Amino acid sequence: MILVTGATGTVGRHVVRSLKEADVPFRALVRDAGRGGELGCEFVVGDLDVPASLGPALEGVDHLLLNSGGALPVAGRQPMVRQQNGAIDAARAAGVTWVVKISAWQPAPEAKLSVRGHWEIEQHLKASGLRWASLQPTGYMQNFFTGRGGFPQGGTLAGPYGTGRVAYIDAYDVAACATALLTRPPLDDGSHPLTGPEALTHREIAAKLSLPFRDLTPREAAEGLRAQGLPDWFVTDLLELYADLAAGAMSEVTSTVQDLTGRAPRTFDAFLAGR
Ligand SMILES: NC(=O)c1ccc[n+]([C@@H]2O[C@H](COP(=O)([O-])OP(=O)(O)OC[C@H]3O[C@@H](n4cnc5c(N)ncnc54)[C@H](OP(=O)(O)O)[C@@H]3O)[C@@H](O)[C@H]2O)c1
């Protein structure tokens, strides 16, 4: 039995669809019964913030998809770290053997925002004695529609991106890799850096979205972010992430989606056509 956490999210919804297609036994952990009902699969209501609520969800589970997000840091700490570390402990206690974690591109102790949080969780997972795989995707193509990371605002794709290329990935492919690993665990534990098939500039992406592109200076970007009410430390960290993107930190294209699923990842055009 597989337990899918974060099942109602951008990646999680695709995991649910793809596990249904694979016709394997699984259930979803959801915070809201109404949203669980919409998934069309077995679900248990629980909250990663309430470890006691995970017991019923983990009953008879041997494989776990560890996936959550969404909450902003509180006093510089990611709620996600507390939540997922608690889920790892509960999974071990419940007899889970194999954990597939949705992480992020190049998690490291010096990384910013949620990427550092993912690194912390990976450390906890590796020390847990459970078998593990970490999927480390670049940015999701879906961000251009969900508004994550300050993407299109006011009908313009604007940001301090310069000419840096980013190999964005469709969450559909992240989910396909998760499904492959959940249903066919490899012999070895390990990390899997995931990218789309091409690295694009934001000017090229804006053209695909039929939007004008405006390359902001870091100062202009900071002013826009502060105007949204984001705290200074958060804006500073976000600008560092943008600077890394502009310098090509997510421009590498890996073969991991092809290796894990046997097919090429979706291009940006295919992602747009499938919406
Ligand atoms: N966006 C990107 O470009 C990107 C890139 C690399 C890695 N990632 C990572 O990918 C992961 C998944 O991202 P996503 O965009 O799919 O996230 P998302 O759409 O925000 O979904 C988050 C999921 O977590 C669930 N959740 C949140 N708090 C919970 C709690 N306390 N207890 C139980 N469930 C909870 C949400 O459930 P509800 O329906 O109840 O809210 C939702 O199903 C995140 O860890 C993110 O850091 C994202």
Side-chain angles (χ1 to χ4, degrees):
M1 171 63 85
I2 297 167
L3 178 67
V4 177
T5 60
T8 55
T10 307
V11 170
R13 273 191 298 255
H14 280 300
V15 175
V16 166
R17 179 196 41 72
S18 133
L19 286 173
K20 277 193 222 167
E21 283 166 15
D23 199 20
V24 291
F26 75 97
R27 73 172 71 105
L29 176 83
V30 294
R31 285 192 288 188
D32 178 273
R35 300 200 71 190
E38 289 164 14
L39 293 174
C41 65
E42 181 184 337
F43 68 89
V44 172
V45 175
D47 190 325
L48 293 171
D49 265 321
V50 185
S53 72
L54 301 182
L58 283 165
E59 222 171 275
V61 168
D62 48 4
H63 295 179
L64 169 69
L65 179 72
L66 186 59
N67 173 44
S68 69
L72 277 175
V74 178
R77 297 286 302 167
Q78 298 280 333
M80 178 181 75
V81 175
R82 184 188 64 240
Q83 292 164 355
Q84 294 197 10
N85 284 354
I88 291 166
D89 297 341
R92 192 182 45 200
V96 169
T97 53
W98 173 236
V99 178
V100 176
K101 167 164 170 53
I102 307 293
S103 181
W105 187 251
Q106 295 181 341
E110 66 278 8
K112 298 297 173 192
L113 300 174
S114 61
V115 185
R116 188 200 144 85
H118 284 299
W119 177 81
E120 287 183 52
I121 297 162
E122 286 191 2
Q123 301 313 299
H124 193 70
L125 183 55
K126 288 174 189 174
S128 70
L130 293 165
R131 292 202 49 212
W132 62 272
S134 175
L135 293 175
Q136 301 173 336
T138 53
Y140 301 155
M141 293 174 183
Q142 278 78 0
N143 291 352
F144 292 94
F145 295 91
T146 55
R148 296 279 157 77
F151 289 126
Q153 284 172 2
T156 300
L157 181 57
Y161 300 112
T163 53
R165 292 183 176 274
V166 178
Y168 284 102
I169 184 166
D170 189 336
Y172 176 97
D173 289 320
V174 179
C177 292
T179 297
L181 288 167
L182 285 164
T183 54
R184 299 186 301 278
L187 291 175
D188 300 319
D189 299 349
S191 301
H192 304 270
L194 302 182
T195 75
E198 58 198 341
L200 301 168
T201 65
H202 284 77
R203 189 176 294 281
E204 290 167 342
I205 291 170
K208 290 180 185 301
L209 295 168
S210 303
L211 290 173
F213 174 67
R214 193 164 154 240
D215 191 21
L216 302 179
T217 64
R219 179 192 284 259
E220 287 171 325
E223 282 165 5
L225 292 165
R226 284 198 195 95
Q228 292 173 41
L230 294 170
D232 276 349
W233 67 267
F234 190 78
V235 172
T236 305
D237 281 4
L238 212 47
L239 284 178
E240 269 192 46
L241 279 182
Y242 279 127
D244 287 348
L245 285 191
M250 281 193 196
S251 59
E252 183 190 344
V253 171
T254 69
S255 64
T256 318
V257 174
Q258 173 83 48
D259 300 342
L260 289 176
T261 68
R263 57 157 187 81
R266 287 179 167 184
T267 60
F268 210 96
D269 288 337
F271 159 70
L272 289 177
R275 280 184 53 82

